[in-house]
Amino acid sequence: GAVVALVPAAGRGVRLGESVPKAFVPIGGSPMVRYAVEGLIASGAVDRIIVMVPAEFVESAVALLPPSDSVHVVVGGAERIDSVRAGLAAAPEAAYYLVHDAARALTPPDLIARVVTELRAGHLAVVPALPVADTIKSVDAAGAVTGTPDRAGLRAIQTPQGFAAGLLRSAYLAEGVQATDDAGLVELLGAQVRTIPGDPLAFKITTPLDLVLADAVLDGASA
Ligand code: C5P
């Protein structure tokens, strides 16, 4: 069955403090969405790639992405969930979906291939996970600590997140649902989500410090 990667790249990226949408901010001289797409191609595990961008960035996205019959650009939505929905609509043929943030531009192709291997082995939902370095606390609206979950049982979750196509489509059929990642929607259906070891290089480029780190990683890679 076909593996289709959906790449949400329609965020405005206010936290980065840049004037262009986050996915179009350059690292090492090229927009991060380009690295994300090149990584998916390099994995050798993906048949088609749908990139969701803000409406006014469709043309520039087409121009900057690797010219390929298997890379398509569509208009995203107001929220990430709307952008993924637009991607699902553009790829009805998928047997498996990967959802992969453009902002995780430096994700090693090997990690992408490992997610697909787990899907093909029959796991319906697969996410990369790393142990957390910080202690995580819950707080109330006033900022007072309400709890400290045992760190040993916590993981930071990355992308690509892989799903059997029918499961992800079902998760997105529900109206008005909220989740900060795609696996969260699938969990609401009661489905089992499998974790596999993530990779520090799959970090999400979110803050100005992350941009410095991404540039340094690319600089080191080309030295
Ligand atoms: O804002 P955040 O870092 O959570 O965004 C994660 C990814 O989702 C980014 O690649 C961003 O471009 C994408 N996104 C999107 N459509 C939105 C909001 C975010 O495709 N409306």
Side-chain angles (χ1 to χ4, degrees):
V3 177
V4 177
L6 310 179
V7 182
R12 298 287 157 180
V14 284
R15 285 167 297 179
L16 267 185
E18 301 270 342
S19 54
V20 291
K22 176 158 84 170
F24 295 84
V25 172
I27 53 173
S30 294
M32 46 180 112
V33 64
R34 179 167 173 172
Y35 291 94
V37 168
E38 284 173 346
L40 287 163
I41 294 171
S43 76
V46 174
D47 297 299
R48 208 154 76 89
I49 301 170
I50 313 287
V51 185
M52 295 80 81
V53 304
E56 66 277 25
F57 280 81
V58 170
E59 265 178 67
S60 52
V62 169
L64 69 87
L65 292 175
S68 161
D69 286 346
S70 54
V71 179
H72 296 91
V73 177
V74 303
V75 178
E79 303 291 337
R80 184 182 182 283
I81 198 166
D82 306 310
S83 296
V84 174
R85 259 203 193 97
L88 286 171
E93 83 280 16
Y96 306 99
Y97 290 109
L98 299 182
V99 186
H100 185 41
D101 289 333
R104 296 186 189 274
L106 302 182
T107 302
D110 158 71
L111 173 58
I112 298 162
R114 284 192 287 120
V115 172
V116 173
T117 298
E118 295 293 316
L119 289 174
R120 292 202 183 277
H123 300 288
L124 299 179
V126 179
V127 302
L130 287 179
V132 290
D134 293 316
T135 294
I136 309 288
K137 293 186 188 294
S138 55
V139 296
D140 65 17
V145 170
T146 55
T148 308
D150 179 10
R151 191 170 67 188
L154 295 175
R155 297 289 182 273
I157 302 301
Q158 305 180 314
T159 74
Q161 299 190 349
F163 305 94
L167 178 60
L168 190 64
R169 285 192 206 110
S170 301
Y172 271 86
L173 280 179
E175 284 296 329
V177 286
Q178 293 276 341
T180 53
D181 73 343
D182 302 281
L185 293 177
V186 160
E187 288 155 40
L188 292 176
L189 297 183
Q192 278 273 330
V193 177
R194 176 180 175 81
T195 62
I196 64 167
D199 192 301
L201 285 172
F203 70 102
K204 184 164 71 173
I205 301 169
T206 305
T207 67
L209 180 61
D210 295 331
L211 273 183
V212 174
L213 178 57
D215 279 328
V217 169
L218 288 169
D219 218 43
S222 63

